Amino acid sequence: MDADLKEQTETELLNLGLSYQTAIKLFSQAIVKDGRLPFETPSDFFESEHNQLVVRQVVDNLIGCQERSLNSLSKDQD
């Protein structure tokens, strides 16, 4: 994160009575609790060509991991 954005964020958080560290902790706890971002993303987030590519890569990696895991289990049973 660039220094200017972080400084502006810290200022706004202080105006809300929160430290940067506390806000990050709350943000992280919300993600872990709900399994998603604690705010809505723009409706066109997944329509972006770049974001679709990233999602495809993540899915392909997950499928590859699953296939390797299944192959490993199959070999262990032989």
Side-chain angles (χ1 to χ4, degrees):
M1 174 184 308
D2 69 63
D4 187 46
L5 177 58
K6 184 175 181 187
E7 183 179 328
Q8 290 176 23
T9 302
E10 288 174 328
T11 299
E12 291 302 321
L13 288 168
L14 286 174
N15 289 337
L16 295 170
L18 293 170
S19 69
Y20 187 82
Q21 184 177 3
T22 299
I24 294 300
K25 182 178 178 181
L26 291 170
F27 178 72
S28 298
Q29 288 172 335
I31 291 171
V32 169
K33 177 181 172 259
D34 298 329
R36 65 178 193 86
L37 292 174
F39 53 81
E40 296 298 318
T41 56
S43 61
D44 63 346
F45 180 79
F46 291 106
E47 295 174 16
S48 145
E49 189 173 324
H50 171 75
N51 291 345
Q52 287 181 10
L53 177 62
V54 170
V55 169
R56 275 192 221 108
Q57 289 172 338
V58 168
V59 170
D60 288 346
N61 286 338
L62 288 171
I63 290 170
C65 288
Q66 182 182 26
E67 289 171 352
R68 286 189 297 277
S69 178
L70 290 172
N71 287 337
S72 176
L73 287 173
S74 176
K75 288 177 184 177
D76 288 345
Q77 292 177 355
D78 290 340

